[in-house]
Amino acid sequence: MGKMRATLTALALTFSISHASAEVIKIGMIANFSGPFAVWGQQFRQSMEAFQKVNGKSIDGNEVQLIFRDNGGADPAKARQLAEELILREKINFLTGFDLTPSALAVADLITEAKMPTVIFNAATSVITRKSPYFVRTSQTVQQYVEPLPEWAVKEAGIKTSYTLVSDYAPGHDAEEIFVKKFEQAGGKMLGKDRIPLNVTDFAPYVERAAATGTASIYIFIPAGAPSISLVREFAKRGLKAKGVKLLAGGETQEVYLPSIGDDVIGTISSLHYTETNTNPENIALRKTLVEMFGPDATPDIGTVGAWDGMRLIYDGIKQFGPKITGDQFMGFVKGRKWNSPRGPIMIDPEERDIIQQIYMRRVEKRDGKLVNIDFFTTGMIKDPWKVANPNAK
Amino acid sequence: MSDQTAVKPPLEFTPPGSGLASMQLRDAWHLLPWVIAIAFYFVADGFHSFGTNVLIMILFTLSLDLALGYAGIITLGHAAFFGIGAYTAGIVAVHMTTDPIAGLIVATILAGILGILTGMLILHTQGVAMFMLTLAIASMFYEVANQWRSLTGGDDGLTVPRSAPLLAYFGFAGFRFDFRGMTGYLYTLSVVFVWFVIAWRIVKSPFGRSLDGIRQNPRRMRAIGTPVWWRLVAMYGISAAMAGTAGALQAQATRLVGLTSLELQLSGIVAVMLVLGGERRLYGAFLGAAFFMAVQDWAAAVNPVYWMFVIGGLLMAVVLFLEGGLMGLLDKIFGMFAGKRVENGQASPVEAKAGDAK
């Protein structure tokens, strides 16, 4: 009887100790899981789950829980509401996600009030990280990856004229601004600029109007997903490729979208901060895990690496400061941090909490019967050009 | 199904002539939704912004009930007025004053005026034509907001500054709008209550009763000398003003106005909430909006990918099996308890359904 009591006491003790020391760390994630941009939510989620498979679902015995919420379209008001719910009801420790810029901008003052560390997995407008000291970005800025493209087009490819087709929202304006600026600086001539509302799905009139100017190239910027696929298809359908018009792109020709576009896309040039075929050991491990978990067709994209590196940052922060890490501790921790991402070497800008990384120029090719991007040029570490040009803008 | 046509006591109607003051004990249940709403404030920690959103959708649904339910104006463009109210309140807060009540009043009046103006146009038509016109007008407002980026922010949305403290007049410090949304909840609840009382008076007034007649037989009403068109325009204007208030409340609560506040989808959702709760019942708006949003909230949390299936399934179930919506269901339940006791009811809005078929 005495023995049993002792055992019970010991059991209760161990239980209460392990219970007291084990915290639950909650990471909330807001992205689109439905609607035209649903691919983002899926990629973020798969990446986060793959990261947990490799790095464990707990840190020093503290469980890390992922909570997903659907933004349900380009709806900033909904994003704000979801963020509020995650903070107040779910009591999350980290807020993450944000595929589209308007949603990220919408939560800026909320996370400042709540001192909620927020890791942006994609939203790429330069100004976002200046809107709250609790933002850190592990993805890219539009101007960062567009910058090398126009110069290459004019100087290396001998393209003298261009026409921009961008989505009419903040990142599209960023892309148009830097492309036009760099293209003209390099000696090229712009034949026109068009802005397409986000909800437009028929791109024929826009492509037609661009083609009518007799331009040698068309630069496009449109959020990746169903809309970007149909725009690239439209380009091929109008026979522009046959006429020798070059398509210049960014995230639109990522490997994950290439099968839906088809062989017409071969030869398209793009600049981006991640090439899926790169041979970094981190990238090979990432691709292997994705295929193991989600089947042979699982293909990483910029959303995948953004989420992967965001998780890396959060995990490393928790390892250093423990499960009760505060927003201010985490934000101090991320500044100036460097590590090897699947995309290559990256670091967090200590002043801007934004990412500094190399940009890769790629061409779509067919290798082993599969459409892929192949790097042909790599830049040095690039800081967001918009922030360099606008040191005080908010 | 003979009880469908039987004269039943309409739940929200007291006998004509008796105002709120002469409420009898059996009408005490009218207090129930408000008691629940106030109790929610004290117990629902962390849910206040959700509660505020529910109240806002209740108000919006109520506004549609006035136009679609009581006046029979078939509209699928009511989000136009919600969006106008939201953008107006947002723009007032950005450029003029952050006083919440000032923004609310400007938004309400502007939405009301636009309701009257567009109403004068669309109410000359009927049926499908009217339906198409409401859709067209909503699309026009949407495009204006989409294109006028300098004022509305276009796809990026319009960020609205935090409202100044509530009732901070004559040196009084006022009530600060807190991060948890507790002040916002009570503020929204008060506004909804004021509009509810107004709506209540309207549907019980001779004006409201005449609209009942117009909905059932406009020709006969015209024949007895009712200015049909004007009455419809007036009701449409009131409904638009109410929708504008709901939009303004949302702008102040969310502090962000997006193009979704003008989208067709929102017009659809509010119609769904109305059908779900039960048309022409006033309290139907309460049940419909609260139930829809609770299910949506729950489903989206359980499965962020497939939650829309749940919403779709729910709708089909209600339309197929619940005639008269949730209020109809309550009627049946109470009817069972009360043993189908017939009181001194007026012509019930439920039984008016029989006359609906033209």
Side-chain angles (χ1 to χ4, degrees):
Chain A
M1 198 60 198
K3 202 176 175 184
M4 195 172 165
R5 185 179 288 166
T7 325
L8 272 176
T9 321
L11 247 168
L13 255 171
T14 23
F15 181 76
S16 65
I17 287 168
S18 68
H19 186 76
S21 65
E23 302 274 337
V24 175
I25 301 152
K26 292 184 178 178
I27 303 178
M29 199 273 268
I30 300 174
N32 284 293
F33 286 93
S34 60
F37 305 111
V39 68
W40 287 105
Q42 186 197 320
Q43 293 286 64
F44 287 168
R45 182 183 191 159
Q46 290 191 351
S47 176
M48 292 167 88
E49 286 171 355
F51 184 91
Q52 285 206 319
K53 188 168 184 215
V54 175
N55 297 280
K57 283 190 177 173
S58 61
I59 304 169
D60 304 329
N62 302 298
E63 188 195 347
V64 180
Q65 238 177 50
L66 307 179
I67 304 172
F68 304 105
R69 287 289 184 278
D70 179 16
N71 200 160
D75 188 350
K78 176 100 180 268
R80 207 198 131 89
Q81 196 187 315
L82 291 174
E84 210 165 84
E85 282 171 20
L86 284 173
I87 294 169
L88 293 175
R89 276 159 55 178
E90 300 291 345
K91 315 237 186 292
I92 54 169
N93 305 77
F94 295 91
L95 183 61
T96 66
F98 302 104
D99 37 359
L100 299 183
T101 290
S103 294
L105 289 174
V107 304
D109 53 350
L110 184 72
I111 63 164
T112 308
E113 272 173 274
K115 297 184 190 253
M116 176 57 57
T118 302
V119 186
I120 297 168
F121 287 172
N122 180 59
T125 307
S126 292
V127 76
I128 297 175
T129 50
R130 290 223 179 120
K131 295 286 186 189
S132 167
Y134 294 92
F135 272 135
V136 54
R137 176 156 43 196
T138 53
S139 49
Q140 75 280 345
T141 76
V142 172
Q143 298 212 345
Q144 187 178 46
Y145 73 77
V146 176
E147 192 184 32
L149 183 64
E151 214 171 87
W152 176 87
V154 177
K155 292 191 175 154
E156 305 293 326
I159 296 168
K160 297 294 176 222
T161 54
S162 196
Y163 192 103
T164 55
L165 285 180
V166 304
S167 281
D168 192 7
Y169 76 137
H173 303 165
D174 273 12
E176 182 192 275
E177 182 190 299
I178 191 86
F179 186 89
V180 170
K181 186 173 141 193
K182 292 283 166 183
F183 195 76
E184 289 178 341
Q185 268 176 15
K189 186 167 183 273
M190 293 303 303
L191 295 182
K193 296 179 253 182
D194 249 330
R195 291 178 172 184
I196 311 172
L198 265 188
N199 58 350
V200 164
T201 47
D202 177 18
F203 300 103
Y206 295 95
V207 174
E208 201 63 52
R209 188 153 64 195
T213 62
T215 181
S217 67
I218 296 178
Y219 169 72
I220 57 169
F221 177 93
I222 185 161
S228 70
I229 292 171
S230 82
L231 177 55
V232 179
R233 270 193 188 153
E234 196 64 47
F235 178 85
K237 216 163 75 186
R238 303 270 135 196
L240 292 180
K241 198 187 162 196
K243 283 186 205 152
V245 181
K246 286 268 182 254
L247 182 64
L248 303 173
E252 294 82 1
T253 55
Q254 295 178 76
E255 188 176 316
V256 65
Y257 303 116
L258 295 179
S260 347
I261 301 173
D263 284 356
D264 287 320
V265 77
I266 292 175
T268 305
I269 304 293
S270 59
S271 62
L272 209 60
H273 55 285
Y274 171 58
T275 301
E276 307 84 339
T277 49
N278 82 48
T279 50
N280 298 328
E282 289 83 2
N283 190 44
I284 289 168
L286 165 64
R287 292 202 72 148
K288 198 172 137 246
T289 315
L290 284 180
V291 169
E292 271 169 25
M293 291 179 74
F294 305 107
D297 290 333
T299 309
D301 67 358
I302 57 173
T304 314
V305 285
W308 184 274
D309 287 320
M311 288 291 282
R312 157 75 51 226
L313 206 51
I314 292 172
Y315 264 54
D316 287 352
I318 297 169
K319 270 180 202 149
Q320 181 155 343
F321 286 92
K324 298 211 160 140
I325 182 170
T326 65
D328 291 309
Q329 277 172 339
F330 182 73
M331 297 320 292
F333 167 79
V334 304
K335 288 175 187 166
R337 199 164 173 79
K338 290 179 193 176
W339 71 100
N340 278 328
S341 153
R343 63 190 109 167
I346 59 175
M347 79 172 277
I348 301 294
D349 187 335
E351 276 89 45
E352 305 279 4
R353 290 160 282 104
D354 213 335
I355 192 160
I356 299 179
Q357 59 192 336
Q358 301 174 337
I359 302 301
Y360 309 88
M361 299 282 307
R362 321 100 55 81
R363 184 182 289 114
V364 179
E365 291 177 13
K366 201 161 201 173
R367 295 269 170 103
D368 306 329
K370 208 179 157 199
L371 290 167
V372 291
N373 285 293
I374 304 292
D375 284 341
F376 60 87
F377 178 68
T378 305
T379 70
M381 296 290 270
I382 294 184
K383 186 179 157 140
D384 176 25
W386 183 88
K387 293 210 173 72
V388 177
N390 305 277
N392 298 312
K394 268 208 164 171
Chain B
M1 295 303 277
S2 63
D3 61 342
Q4 284 294 318
T5 46
V7 178
K8 252 187 291 179
L11 283 173
E12 82 280 29
F13 272 62
T14 46
S18 72
L20 288 172
S22 61
M23 215 185 240
Q24 293 166 19
L25 191 62
R26 66 181 172 80
D27 295 323
W29 71 269
H30 284 283
L31 291 172
L32 191 65
W34 307 103
V35 170
I36 292 173
I38 291 168
F40 185 88
Y41 173 82
F42 292 102
V43 297
D45 183 39
F47 283 75
H48 290 100
S49 75
F50 173 71
T52 306
N53 281 312
V54 172
L55 288 172
I56 290 166
M57 288 318 289
I58 287 173
L59 185 60
F60 188 27
T61 310
L62 200 56
S63 81
L64 187 67
D65 200 10
L66 289 186
L68 181 67
Y70 287 95
I73 302 167
I74 301 164
T75 168
L76 200 60
H78 227 49
F81 304 112
F82 185 86
I84 292 287
Y87 275 107
T88 307
I91 289 162
V92 165
V94 171
H95 296 287
M96 290 172 239
T97 168
T98 54
D99 184 77
I101 294 177
L104 204 64
I105 290 172
V106 176
T108 305
I109 292 174
L110 189 69
I113 291 173
L114 284 169
I116 289 171
L117 291 179
T118 57
M120 289 166 85
L121 183 73
I122 65 163
L123 293 168
H124 281 298
T125 59
Q126 271 176 334
V128 179
M130 182 193 276
F131 177 78
M132 299 300 282
L133 274 176
T134 60
L135 212 61
I137 286 168
S139 311
M140 277 167 55
F141 283 127
Y142 177 90
E143 268 319 310
V144 169
N146 190 16
Q147 299 294 335
W148 199 348
R149 294 192 65 93
S150 56
L151 197 66
T152 63
D155 277 313
D156 294 332
L158 174 73
T159 306
V160 181
R162 180 187 291 279
S163 294
L166 185 62
L167 299 174
Y169 308 124
F170 313 113
F172 176 57
F175 304 97
R176 210 179 73 79
F177 282 91
D178 57 311
F179 165 62
R180 308 185 71 79
M182 300 188 66
T183 311
Y185 180 82
L186 286 187
Y187 164 65
T188 307
L189 181 59
S190 320
V191 175
V192 172
F193 182 73
V194 169
W195 260 122
F196 178 79
V197 172
I198 295 172
W200 169 289
R201 302 305 304 220
I202 287 173
V203 299
K204 280 173 34 126
S205 69
F207 166 71
R209 308 303 295 164
S210 75
L211 282 164
D212 235 354
I214 290 170
R215 191 189 69 247
Q216 292 174 51
N217 196 334
R219 265 190 219 154
R220 188 172 294 173
M221 290 303 282
R222 200 170 287 121
I224 61 169
T226 314
V228 168
W229 183 71
W230 274 116
R231 296 248 161 116
L232 285 174
V233 169
M235 191 62 149
Y236 195 62
I238 292 166
S239 164
M242 195 190 249
T245 308
L249 286 171
Q250 198 192 47
Q252 292 170 349
T254 314
R255 286 196 279 139
L256 198 115
V257 187
L259 286 173
T260 37
S261 66
L262 281 166
E263 255 175 12
L264 171 65
Q265 194 183 347
L266 182 61
S267 301
I269 286 174
V270 72
V272 164
M273 289 180 182
L274 181 59
V275 172
L276 186 61
E279 285 176 77
R280 263 167 277 132
R281 304 298 299 263
L282 292 188
Y283 286 111
F286 286 65
L287 274 181
F291 187 70
F292 183 93
M293 291 191 67
V295 170
Q296 185 178 333
D297 189 69
W298 167 80
V302 170
N303 191 327
V305 182
Y306 297 115
W307 61 278
M308 290 214 181
F309 280 113
V310 179
I311 301 288
L314 174 77
L315 270 182
M316 285 164 67
V318 168
V319 173
L320 287 174
F321 304 114
L322 276 185
E323 206 180 337
L326 293 171
M327 286 299 277
L329 184 69
L330 281 188
D331 277 354
K332 276 188 195 145
I333 294 167
F334 283 118
M336 260 183 253
F337 279 116
K340 299 200 177 138
R341 161 172 62 103
V342 175
E343 285 166 38
N344 55 340
Q346 273 282 108
S348 142
V350 175
E351 140 262 6
K353 271 222 158 114
D356 244 0
K358 281 177 199 153

